[in-house]
Amino acid sequence: MELTEAPPTRRIEHLRRADLPIDTMELARYLIGKTLVHNLPTGRLSGRIVETEGYPPGDAAGRAFRGKTPGNQSLFLGRGYCHVYFTYGSSFMVNVTSEEPGVGAGVLLRALEPLQGTETMQRFRKTMRMRDIARGPGRLAQAMQIDKRYDGIDLCAAGPLWLGTAARRIGLIGSSTRIGLTREANRKRRFFECGNPYVSGPRSLSTS
């Protein structure tokens, strides 16, 4: 079945910092079904967050594990900020920071279900396949046009890139081990909306 753009059924409001759980894993689960919005001069891009991975304090797979560096300092700002890094020589990764200020931790956004600006996202991604527009963290960043310029931006403020409320009812949320890790690989720190076709990874990790 061909997937098509599903516009919001509810008005999307800004999430307040007070709305966000402080604990990393609670935040990773909370963000499922919420909205990521990027207001460009040419129009709005938005998508439902349908897959996340949590990287709490002390996680050996987390970017803050060895302490603060010039490349990860935004992870220590407290909850609700954007942390962007470049990896694999080709892809940006978008994270929402968590915990109290001074504690390095965050939630990786792994997949979006496109809501608004789908045709623009398709041009950025050079694909017409709806399912593949933002399925996976690198594709997500490319589709939403997020790069290092947005590292450290407040996602709860009135800026171009922000977190919004759920656009419609949220389905059952499942959890699994995280994808593509060698450290802390067996921990269940990945969350997803069950049955959503935009979730990335093998089907065996996205059914419960």
Side-chain angles (χ1 to χ4, degrees):
M1 181 178 66
E2 183 68 23
L3 299 172
T4 59
E5 182 181 272
T9 58
R10 301 175 183 170
R11 178 179 173 83
I12 300 170
E13 306 285 353
H14 280 73
L15 288 177
R16 302 169 300 166
R17 203 171 323 280
D19 296 327
L20 305 180
I22 296 173
D23 178 79
T24 302
M25 301 316 301
E26 290 181 16
L27 179 62
R29 185 182 182 91
Y30 172 83
L31 288 174
I32 298 298
K34 304 306 188 293
T35 310
L36 182 65
V37 181
H38 192 180
N39 292 323
L40 298 176
T42 53
R44 170 173 291 186
L45 308 178
S46 72
R48 297 178 69 241
I49 299 168
V50 297
E51 183 185 358
T52 63
E53 286 181 346
Y55 291 83
D59 190 323
R63 284 180 52 77
F65 181 64
R66 299 188 184 280
K68 188 184 293 187
T69 68
N72 72 7
Q73 56 187 335
S74 61
L75 280 172
F76 294 79
L77 292 172
R79 70 192 188 280
Y81 293 84
C82 187
H83 171 62
V84 182
Y85 64 94
F86 190 67
T87 190
Y88 303 127
S90 62
S91 301
F92 291 101
M93 303 285 171
V94 182
N95 300 259
V96 178
T97 61
S98 56
E99 304 293 332
E100 299 282 5
V103 179
V107 175
L108 174 66
L109 304 185
R110 282 197 56 91
L112 293 180
E113 175 186 339
L115 290 174
Q116 296 167 291
T118 300
E119 291 185 359
T120 302
M121 292 185 198
Q122 288 172 324
R123 289 199 300 273
F124 290 147
R125 284 275 300 113
K126 296 181 174 59
T127 181
M128 296 301 293
R129 285 175 55 86
M130 283 287 295
R131 185 169 181 263
D132 289 338
I133 289 178
R135 185 173 59 90
R139 293 171 174 177
L140 183 157
Q142 186 179 23
M144 293 292 288
Q145 288 295 279
I146 301 172
D147 55 27
K148 284 289 287 185
R149 291 174 296 176
Y150 296 91
D151 183 46
I153 194 171
D154 187 349
L155 295 171
C156 298
L161 184 66
W162 49 278
L163 288 169
T165 52
R168 60 174 177 272
R169 187 177 64 83
I170 302 167
L172 181 67
I173 298 174
S175 65
S176 79
T177 55
R178 294 173 296 190
I179 295 174
L181 298 184
T182 54
R183 297 178 179 177
E184 307 270 8
N186 295 323
R187 295 185 179 273
K188 278 196 167 187
R189 292 178 172 172
R190 171 178 172 263
F191 297 92
F192 54 89
E193 186 175 49
C194 294
N196 190 294
Y198 296 94
V199 171
S200 72
R203 188 180 298 274
S204 61
L205 290 181
S206 302
T207 57
S208 63

